[in-house]
Amino acid sequence: MLKDTHIVVVVAHPDDAESYCGGTIAHLTKSGNRVTLVVCTSGDRGSHDCSISPTNLIHLRKEEQYTSQHVLGVQEIIWLGYEDGKLAYQPELRDRLIRIYRQLRPNVIITFDPWKHYEFHPDHRAVGFAATEARMLADLPWICPELTLEGTAAWHPQEMYCFSPQDPNYWVDITETIDLKTEARLAHHSQNDFIHNETDRQQFIEMIRSNARKDGEDQKMNYAEAYYKVDDTDFNL
Amino acid sequence: MLKDTHIVVVVAHPDDAESYCGGTIAHLTKSGNRVTLVVCTSGDRGSHDCSISPTNLIHLRKEEQYTSQHVLGVQEIIWLGYEDGKLAYQPELRDRLIRIYRQLRPNVIITFDPWKHYEFHPDHRAVGFAATEARMLADLPWICPELTLEGTAAWHPQEMYCFSPQDPNYWVDITETIDLKTEARLAHHSQNDFIHNETDRQQFIEMIRSNARKDGEDQKMNYAEAYYKVDDTDFNL
Amino acid sequence: MLKDTHIVVVVAHPDDAESYCGGTIAHLTKSGNRVTLVVCTSGDRGSHDCSISPTNLIHLRKEEQYTSQHVLGVQEIIWLGYEDGKLAYQPELRDRLIRIYRQLRPNVIITFDPWKHYEFHPDHRAVGFAATEARMLADLPWICPELTLEGTAAWHPQEMYCFSPQDPNYWVDITETIDLKTEARLAHHSQNDFIHNETDRQQFIEMIRSNARKDGEDQKMNYAEAYYKVDDTDFNL
Amino acid sequence: MLKDTHIVVVVAHPDDAESYCGGTIAHLTKSGNRVTLVVCTSGDRGSHDCSISPTNLIHLRKEEQYTSQHVLGVQEIIWLGYEDGKLAYQPELRDRLIRIYRQLRPNVIITFDPWKHYEFHPDHRAVGFAATEARMLADLPWICPELTLEGTAAWHPQEMYCFSPQDPNYWVDITETIDLKTEARLAHHSQNDFIHNETDRQQFIEMIRSNARKDGEDQKMNYAEAYYKVDDTDFNL
Amino acid sequence: MLKDTHIVVVVAHPDDAESYCGGTIAHLTKSGNRVTLVVCTSGDRGSHDCSISPTNLIHLRKEEQYTSQHVLGVQEIIWLGYEDGKLAYQPELRDRLIRIYRQLRPNVIITFDPWKHYEFHPDHRAVGFAATEARMLADLPWICPELTLEGTAAWHPQEMYCFSPQDPNYWVDITETIDLKTEARLAHHSQNDFIHNETDRQQFIEMIRSNARKDGEDQKMNYAEAYYKVDDTDFNL
Amino acid sequence: MLKDTHIVVVVAHPDDAESYCGGTIAHLTKSGNRVTLVVCTSGDRGSHDCSISPTNLIHLRKEEQYTSQHVLGVQEIIWLGYEDGKLAYQPELRDRLIRIYRQLRPNVIITFDPWKHYEFHPDHRAVGFAATEARMLADLPWICPELTLEGTAAWHPQEMYCFSPQDPNYWVDITETIDLKTEARLAHHSQNDFIHNETDRQQFIEMIRSNARKDGEDQKMNYAEAYYKVDDTDFNL
C-alpha cells in the first residue's frame, strides 16, 4: 500500500477534487500519504444565484473547500486565484504549475484528462493541458530557467493519473471512502442549489454512488474512481 | 413529434448547415418549429477562383444562403461577420453566442462536434467549442454580467446536438427531406466548382445520399443525419 | 512503388522525424523520391544537462540532424527556428507552412496527428494542427493573398499521412529500413543521455524494434510505421 | 475655398466629431465638399445612468448621431461597431481603416492626435494611432495584399489633420458654423446628463464657445478649431 | 490644509512611491489623511545581484516596503503581485484598479505620468496608463458591469496627480518631510547596491535633496515634488 | 575623439540607418570604432511597385544594405527578419535585443526616439521602445535568466543616443561625412522611386543636406545629425 508519498492534485474549481477524485484522496491520506491540492480558479462565477456576488462567492467557496479539506485529510491547499470561466489555454498557468512541481517535488500528479470527449467546461480542459504539460516540461532545466538559476532544480513527478478519463486504464477502490467523498462533495453548499429537501439530497448521494459503482463494475470493486494512468513505476495509488 | 420549439443552429460558413444538418432543419421547420441560423464567418475566402474577390464572395454567398433558407424554411439568419479561415479559439465569439442564446432563449442548440477526429478546418472546431461552451456558461448570471445587469436573464438551452459527431448517439430520419437537403446544398453555387456537367451533378447528389444512407444504416432509416446528443429532456429532434 | 514524388515531412524537433517516420523516409528516398524535412523548433531546450546552453544545443542538434539526414537520404532541411517548448497554437506557423507548401508544391505531407490522446508535448500538437490545416488552406488563393499576388499559386498536396496516429488506417513496411531508422535516431546523441553503456544501447534499439513490430503485427509486416492516411489518390507511401 | 473634396473623419464615439471638429465639418459640407464619418465604437458604455442598457444605448446614440448628421450635413456614416472602452491598440482596426481609405479614396483624413498629453481615454488614442498609421500604410500595395489582389488599389489620402492637437499648426475659422457645432453636440442628449435646466444648458454652450475662442485667439479668428496638419498640398480645410 | 481625505497611490515597484512622491505621502499622513499604496509588481527582478533569487527578493522587498510604510505613515498596502519587467499595456491591470477605486472610493489618485519623455521603464508607463484610465472609466457603471451588479457602485476619484510629470503644473512643499522621504527611500536596502560606504550614502541623500530643490526652485519652496494635476476641485495636496 | 568603441545601431528597415544617422556612422567607423547594425524587419513591404514581390524585395533590399554597409564602413549587420509593417510593441523583440546587447557588450546604443511626435510609422516606434527598454533591462541578471544561466552575463551599454529626437540635446558634426551619408542613402534604389531623372536626384540630395544644415544651425556646424543623449559618461559620439 502506498505510503509516505507526496501527491499534488490540480483542479479548476473548488468542488472538482471531491467530484472526480475525492475517494482516492481520502484513501491516500488515510494510508499516510501527503496530498496538496492546487485550485486554479476561485470558482467566483459558479452560482445560479444572482444575489451572491463573485466577491462573496470567493469567500464562501474557500470556506466550503476548507471544510472538505478537513473531511478528506488534505494537508495543504494552494489557491492560484484565476477568474472562473476564463481559463483559456495559456503558458502562464503552465509555468506556475512547473514552479509548484519543482518546489514541492511530488511523486504523483492527479488532474483532469484534457482529451475527455464532451467535456464542455473550458476551465477543465485548460487545467488538464497545463497540469500534464507542466509535468513533462518540469523535468527540463532550460524550461523556466529562472528556477534553475535560483537553485530550484528540475523535477519529474514519477507518475500521473488523469481523472474523468477518455481511455480509462486504472481504477482506485474507494469502497472504504465513498462516504467521505460524498460528505466532502456535499460540503460545497453553494453548488447544491438543486437540493431542496432530504429527498433531493438522497438522490444526489445515490447518483454519486451509482457513478462510482459503474466505474468499479468491471474491476470487481464496489465503488471506484477511474483514471488514465501515465507511466508505470513503483507507485500505485 | 417536436413542435413549437425554437432551435438555434450555429455554423462556421454558409453551406455548413446544409451539408451537416440540412435534412434535420427541413424536418423541424415542416413540423412547425422555429429555426434560427447563426453563420459565424462570411465564407469570404471559400473559393478556388481567384477572380472572385472576398468582397464579392460575401455578397454572393449571402444570396446563396438566402436561397437555401427559403428551401429549408429557416425563419431567421444571424450573420456574425468573422473572417473566413481565421476563427481561432477566442472568448469573444463565445460571448456573442451567450448573448444570442440569452436573448432568443432557444430550447435546442445544434452545432459542430469539436472533438471530431481529423476535422481539419479550424473554423469548424472553433465554432464547435464556442457554441457548446456558450450553452453551459449562458446559464450562469455572473458570466457576461452586463447582460444580467441589463435584464437579459441567464438561460439554459435544454438540449444540444453536435453534428459530424465523433461518438454518434442519436439519429434523425431525413428520408422525407433528403431532397430538400440536396437542393439547399446545391443552392451554394460558389461551392460547386467541381460540378462541370450533369454527370458531376448527379455524382455529387449520389454522394450526399450515400453518406446519409450510411448514417441511417444501423438505425433502420433510409437516410439519416447523425449526432452526439447532450442531455435527455422532453425534446427530441 | 512510389517514385519521383516530393514528400514534405513537418516535425517539431530534431529527432522527431527519426522516431516517428524514419523508416518510411529511408524507404521513400531509396525508391527515388524527394523528401524535404521542415523542423519547426531548434530543440534548444531539449536536454536534462544544465551545462549545455540553449545556444550550444542549437548547434549540436543541427549537426546531429545533418548526420541523420545523410543516413536517411533526406534532400533538404528547412529550419523554422521557433523556440522549443513554446509552440502554442498560432496562425503564424500555419502561414509559414502554407508558404512552404505553395513554393515547393509537394505531393505528400507527413506530420503529427494532433488528435493523438495523451500526446503531452504541446509542440507536437501545435505542429500537427498547423501542418494539417496548412494543407487544406494552401489550396485557397484568398488565404495568404500576398502569395497569390506575387505569383505563388495555391497548391493542394494530394495526400497526407499523420504519424503517431490516434486512429491508424495505413502502415508502411519498414523491414528493410529499420536499421537505418535506428541509426538515424541514434545519431541524435544529445537525446541519448539514458544510454550509459552498450547494454543500454541494445535495450533502446530493441525498444525501437519492438514498437515497430507491434505496429506491423496485424499487417503481416515484420516492422512497420503506422499512419492515419487522409484522402486516397494514386500515391501510396 | 476647398470644394469637391472628399474628407473622411475617423472618431471613437458618437459625439466625438461634434466636440472636436464639428465646426470644421459644417464649414466643409456648406462649401460643397463630401464628408464621410467613421465611428469606431458604438458608444455603448457611455452613460452614468445604470438604467439604460448598452443595447438600448447603441440605438439611442445612433439616433442622436443621425440628428447631428443632418445638422452638420455629413453625407455618410460608417459604423464599425467596436465595444466602447475596449479599443486597445490593435492591427485589425487599422486594417479596416486601410480598406475604407482604399475604397473611398478620400483626399483628406481628420482624426485624433494620439500624442496629445493627458488624453486619458484609451479609445481616443487607439483611434488616433490606427487612423494615422492607416493613411501611411494604405499607400503600399503589399500591405493588406488581398485588397490589391481584388483590384482595390493602394491610395494615399493627400492630407491629414489631427484634432485636439499636442502641437497645433493649423486653425479652421468656425465663426460661421459655431452655432451648428453647438446644435450638433447638443443633439447627443445621452451625453448631456449634467444639464438639468436652461442655466446649465447656457453654461455648456458658453463653454463650447469659450474653448473655440481660445483656439482662435492668436489666429485673429472669433472661433476656431485647432489641428496638427500633416503634409502640405493644394488642399486646405 | 487637506484633512480626512483618502488618497490612493499606484506604483509599479516597491521604492517607486518613496522616490517619486514620498515627501507628499508623509505630508498627507501627518495632516490626518489616509493613504493606501497599491504596488503592482513584486519587484522580483530588481537586483543586479544574481545570488538573490526572485523568490527571496519578493520577501526582502516586502519587508523593506513595510519599514518604509512605517516611516511614511501609510495606512494600507495592496500588493497586486505582477511579475517585474513584464507589465505591458493590458486591460486586466486596469480592471483590477477600477475594482480598487470603486471599493475604496478615494478622493485622490497619485500615480506615474505615462507621457513622460524618456521614461524607459515599461512598467512605469504601463502603470501610468492603467491607473489614469481606470480613474476615468471607474465612473461609468457599464464598465466592469459585474461590480455594478454586485452593488459596488461607480465612483469618480475627484482629483488626480501624476508624478514625474512631462508638463508639471502643481508642486507640493516637502520641506518638512524631505528627511522622511530620504529615510523611507533608504529603507529599500536591496536597491542601494551603489552605496558602499558613508560617502556614497551622503552623496545619494544629497542627490535626492538636490532634485527636490530643483523642483521647488521656481515655486519658492526649499524642497518640492512636482506633479501634473488633473481637474480642480476643493482638494489640494 | 572616440576610438575603439563598439556601437550597436538598431533600426526598423534597411535605409533607416542612412536616413537618420548615416553621417554619424561614417564618422564613427572612420575614427576607428566598431559599428554593428541590427535591422529588425526585412523591409519586405516597402515598395509602391506591385510587381516586385515581398520575397524579391527582401533580397533586393539586403543587396542595397550591403552596398551601403560598404560605403559607411559598418562591420556587421544582424537581420532579425520581422515582417515589415507588423512590428507591434512586443516583448519578444525586446528579448532578442537584450540577448544581442549581452553577447556583443557594446558601449553605445543608437536607435529611434519612440516619443517623437507625429512619427506615424508603427515599426519606428516599436523599435524605439524595444531597443531603449532592452538597454535598461539587459543590466538585470534576472531578466532573460536563461542567458545568465548559460553564462552570458548582464551588460549595461554605457550610453544611448536616440535619433529623430523629440527633445534634441546632442549633435554630431557630419560635415566631413555628409557625402557618404548621401551616397549610402542613395544606394537603396528600391526606395528612390520618386527619382526619375538627374534633377530629382539633385533635389533629393539637397533635401538631405538642407535637413542636416537645419540640425546643425544652432550648433555652429555646417551639417549635423541631432540626438537625445541618455546618460553622460566618458564616451561622446
mmCIF file of all heavy atoms in Angstrom, chain D residues 93-110:
data_model
loop_
_atom_site.group_PDB
_atom_site.id
_atom_site.type_symbol
_atom_site.label_atom_id
_atom_site.label_comp_id
_atom_site.label_asym_id
_atom_site.label_seq_id
_atom_site.Cartn_x
_atom_site.Cartn_y
_atom_site.Cartn_z
ATOM 1 N N LEU D 93 -8.223 46.996 -36.362
ATOM 2 C CA LEU D 93 -8.871 48.281 -36.620
ATOM 3 C C LEU D 93 -8.148 49.017 -37.743
ATOM 4 O O LEU D 93 -8.766 49.599 -38.647
ATOM 5 C CB LEU D 93 -8.859 49.129 -35.326
ATOM 6 C CG LEU D 93 -9.341 50.563 -35.465
ATOM 7 C CD1 LEU D 93 -10.771 50.634 -36.005
ATOM 8 C CD2 LEU D 93 -9.270 51.285 -34.122
ATOM 9 N N ARG D 94 -6.822 49.014 -37.687
ATOM 10 C CA ARG D 94 -6.034 49.675 -38.722
ATOM 11 C C ARG D 94 -6.337 49.094 -40.106
ATOM 12 O O ARG D 94 -6.519 49.830 -41.071
ATOM 13 C CB ARG D 94 -4.550 49.507 -38.395
ATOM 14 C CG ARG D 94 -3.639 50.303 -39.265
ATOM 15 C CD ARG D 94 -2.220 50.200 -38.774
ATOM 16 N NE ARG D 94 -1.618 48.944 -39.197
ATOM 17 C CZ ARG D 94 -0.472 48.470 -38.722
ATOM 18 N NH1 ARG D 94 0.175 49.139 -37.784
ATOM 19 N NH2 ARG D 94 0.021 47.339 -39.158
ATOM 20 N N ASP D 95 -6.421 47.783 -40.187
ATOM 21 C CA ASP D 95 -6.696 47.135 -41.468
ATOM 22 C C ASP D 95 -8.075 47.518 -41.999
ATOM 23 O O ASP D 95 -8.256 47.687 -43.205
ATOM 24 C CB ASP D 95 -6.588 45.615 -41.329
ATOM 25 C CG ASP D 95 -5.145 45.153 -41.220
ATOM 26 O OD1 ASP D 95 -4.242 46.013 -41.304
ATOM 27 O OD2 ASP D 95 -4.908 43.952 -41.042
ATOM 28 N N ARG D 96 -9.035 47.643 -41.101
ATOM 29 C CA ARG D 96 -10.370 48.038 -41.572
ATOM 30 C C ARG D 96 -10.364 49.463 -42.105
ATOM 31 O O ARG D 96 -11.058 49.783 -43.071
ATOM 32 C CB ARG D 96 -11.396 47.901 -40.445
ATOM 33 C CG ARG D 96 -11.652 46.423 -40.113
ATOM 34 C CD ARG D 96 -12.705 46.230 -39.064
ATOM 35 N NE ARG D 96 -14.039 46.556 -39.556
ATOM 36 C CZ ARG D 96 -15.136 46.414 -38.827
ATOM 37 N NH1 ARG D 96 -15.046 45.962 -37.587
ATOM 38 N NH2 ARG D 96 -16.315 46.733 -39.320
ATOM 39 N N LEU D 97 -9.565 50.309 -41.490
ATOM 40 C CA LEU D 97 -9.483 51.693 -41.980
ATOM 41 C C LEU D 97 -8.725 51.754 -43.309
ATOM 42 O O LEU D 97 -9.067 52.533 -44.198
ATOM 43 C CB LEU D 97 -8.837 52.587 -40.920
ATOM 44 C CG LEU D 97 -9.686 52.754 -39.649
ATOM 45 C CD1 LEU D 97 -8.905 53.515 -38.573
ATOM 46 C CD2 LEU D 97 -10.998 53.493 -39.947
ATOM 47 N N ILE D 98 -7.693 50.945 -43.444
ATOM 48 C CA ILE D 98 -6.980 50.885 -44.730
ATOM 49 C C ILE D 98 -7.961 50.504 -45.835
ATOM 50 O O ILE D 98 -7.981 51.108 -46.917
ATOM 51 C CB ILE D 98 -5.820 49.855 -44.654
ATOM 52 C CG1 ILE D 98 -4.693 50.409 -43.779
ATOM 53 C CG2 ILE D 98 -5.292 49.518 -46.051
ATOM 54 C CD1 ILE D 98 -3.560 49.424 -43.513
ATOM 55 N N ARG D 99 -8.792 49.525 -45.567
ATOM 56 C CA ARG D 99 -9.798 49.118 -46.553
ATOM 57 C C ARG D 99 -10.716 50.290 -46.897
ATOM 58 O O ARG D 99 -10.996 50.553 -48.071
ATOM 59 C CB ARG D 99 -10.619 47.953 -45.999
ATOM 60 C CG ARG D 99 -11.784 47.525 -46.871
ATOM 61 C CD ARG D 99 -12.531 46.330 -46.276
ATOM 62 N NE ARG D 99 -11.850 45.073 -46.524
ATOM 63 C CZ ARG D 99 -11.994 44.337 -47.644
ATOM 64 N NH1 ARG D 99 -12.825 44.758 -48.613
ATOM 65 N NH2 ARG D 99 -11.351 43.217 -47.797
ATOM 66 N N ILE D 100 -11.177 51.022 -45.894
ATOM 67 C CA ILE D 100 -12.085 52.157 -46.137
ATOM 68 C C ILE D 100 -11.375 53.240 -46.952
ATOM 69 O O ILE D 100 -11.930 53.785 -47.913
ATOM 70 C CB ILE D 100 -12.603 52.716 -44.787
ATOM 71 C CG1 ILE D 100 -13.586 51.713 -44.174
ATOM 72 C CG2 ILE D 100 -13.242 54.089 -44.959
ATOM 73 C CD1 ILE D 100 -14.002 52.039 -42.750
ATOM 74 N N TYR D 101 -10.143 53.569 -46.579
ATOM 75 C CA TYR D 101 -9.409 54.607 -47.317
ATOM 76 C C TYR D 101 -9.247 54.203 -48.791
ATOM 77 O O TYR D 101 -9.373 55.027 -49.693
ATOM 78 C CB TYR D 101 -8.020 54.837 -46.729
ATOM 79 C CG TYR D 101 -7.986 55.430 -45.336
ATOM 80 C CD1 TYR D 101 -6.766 55.610 -44.669
ATOM 81 C CD2 TYR D 101 -9.141 55.803 -44.651
ATOM 82 C CE1 TYR D 101 -6.696 56.133 -43.394
ATOM 83 C CE2 TYR D 101 -9.084 56.326 -43.364
ATOM 84 C CZ TYR D 101 -7.858 56.485 -42.748
ATOM 85 O OH TYR D 101 -7.786 57.002 -41.468
ATOM 86 N N ARG D 102 -8.916 52.923 -49.016
ATOM 87 C CA ARG D 102 -8.680 52.493 -50.399
ATOM 88 C C ARG D 102 -9.971 52.441 -51.202
ATOM 89 O O ARG D 102 -9.973 52.706 -52.402
ATOM 90 C CB ARG D 102 -8.013 51.109 -50.401
ATOM 91 C CG ARG D 102 -6.565 51.181 -49.954
ATOM 92 C CD ARG D 102 -5.836 49.881 -50.223
ATOM 93 N NE ARG D 102 -4.479 49.961 -49.683
ATOM 94 C CZ ARG D 102 -3.696 48.905 -49.447
ATOM 95 N NH1 ARG D 102 -4.141 47.683 -49.726
ATOM 96 N NH2 ARG D 102 -2.485 49.067 -48.967
ATOM 97 N N GLN D 103 -11.052 52.091 -50.531
ATOM 98 C CA GLN D 103 -12.316 52.005 -51.265
ATOM 99 C C GLN D 103 -12.895 53.395 -51.538
ATOM 100 O O GLN D 103 -13.392 53.656 -52.628
ATOM 101 C CB GLN D 103 -13.313 51.142 -50.498
ATOM 102 C CG GLN D 103 -12.968 49.645 -50.592
ATOM 103 C CD GLN D 103 -13.887 48.769 -49.791
ATOM 104 O OE1 GLN D 103 -14.464 49.198 -48.798
ATOM 105 N NE2 GLN D 103 -14.013 47.518 -50.202
ATOM 106 N N LEU D 104 -12.820 54.290 -50.563
ATOM 107 C CA LEU D 104 -13.433 55.622 -50.739
ATOM 108 C C LEU D 104 -12.493 56.607 -51.417
ATOM 109 O O LEU D 104 -12.933 57.612 -51.975
ATOM 110 C CB LEU D 104 -13.877 56.177 -49.380
ATOM 111 C CG LEU D 104 -14.905 55.355 -48.616
ATOM 112 C CD1 LEU D 104 -15.338 56.109 -47.362
ATOM 113 C CD2 LEU D 104 -16.138 55.063 -49.478
ATOM 114 N N ARG D 105 -11.194 56.376 -51.314
ATOM 115 C CA ARG D 105 -10.178 57.246 -51.920
ATOM 116 C C ARG D 105 -10.390 58.722 -51.571
ATOM 117 O O ARG D 105 -10.464 59.590 -52.458
ATOM 118 C CB ARG D 105 -10.155 57.045 -53.445
ATOM 119 C CG ARG D 105 -9.883 55.586 -53.834
ATOM 120 C CD ARG D 105 -9.964 55.303 -55.313
ATOM 121 N NE ARG D 105 -8.799 55.717 -56.064
ATOM 122 C CZ ARG D 105 -7.655 55.028 -56.104
ATOM 123 N NH1 ARG D 105 -7.529 53.937 -55.406
ATOM 124 N NH2 ARG D 105 -6.650 55.467 -56.835
ATOM 125 N N PRO D 106 -10.423 59.018 -50.277
ATOM 126 C CA PRO D 106 -10.618 60.420 -49.862
ATOM 127 C C PRO D 106 -9.341 61.232 -50.040
ATOM 128 O O PRO D 106 -8.240 60.682 -50.107
ATOM 129 C CB PRO D 106 -10.956 60.299 -48.380
ATOM 130 C CG PRO D 106 -10.209 59.083 -47.939
ATOM 131 C CD PRO D 106 -10.255 58.132 -49.111
ATOM 132 N N ASN D 107 -9.502 62.554 -50.113
ATOM 133 C CA ASN D 107 -8.357 63.453 -50.224
ATOM 134 C C ASN D 107 -7.787 63.820 -48.861
ATOM 135 O O ASN D 107 -6.608 64.115 -48.731
ATOM 136 C CB ASN D 107 -8.767 64.731 -50.948
ATOM 137 C CG ASN D 107 -9.486 64.434 -52.237
ATOM 138 O OD1 ASN D 107 -10.704 64.513 -52.293
ATOM 139 N ND2 ASN D 107 -8.736 64.027 -53.262
ATOM 140 N N VAL D 108 -8.649 63.806 -47.859
ATOM 141 C CA VAL D 108 -8.247 64.308 -46.545
ATOM 142 C C VAL D 108 -8.758 63.372 -45.449
ATOM 143 O O VAL D 108 -9.883 62.865 -45.537
ATOM 144 C CB VAL D 108 -8.839 65.722 -46.319
ATOM 145 C CG1 VAL D 108 -8.494 66.236 -44.924
ATOM 146 C CG2 VAL D 108 -8.346 66.687 -47.387
ATOM 147 N N ILE D 109 -7.900 63.156 -44.430
ATOM 148 C CA ILE D 109 -8.298 62.417 -43.228
ATOM 149 C C ILE D 109 -8.294 63.385 -42.045
ATOM 150 O O ILE D 109 -7.356 64.178 -41.898
ATOM 151 C CB ILE D 109 -7.305 61.268 -42.925
ATOM 152 C CG1 ILE D 109 -7.194 60.292 -44.107
ATOM 153 C CG2 ILE D 109 -7.683 60.528 -41.639
ATOM 154 C CD1 ILE D 109 -8.470 59.569 -44.456
ATOM 155 N N ILE D 110 -9.316 63.331 -41.222
ATOM 156 C CA ILE D 110 -9.351 64.083 -39.959
ATOM 157 C C ILE D 110 -9.571 63.081 -38.837
ATOM 158 O O ILE D 110 -10.480 62.260 -38.902
ATOM 159 C CB ILE D 110 -10.497 65.129 -39.949
ATOM 160 C CG1 ILE D 110 -10.309 66.139 -41.084
ATOM 161 C CG2 ILE D 110 -10.565 65.827 -38.604
ATOM 162 C CD1 ILE D 110 -11.393 67.204 -41.142
#
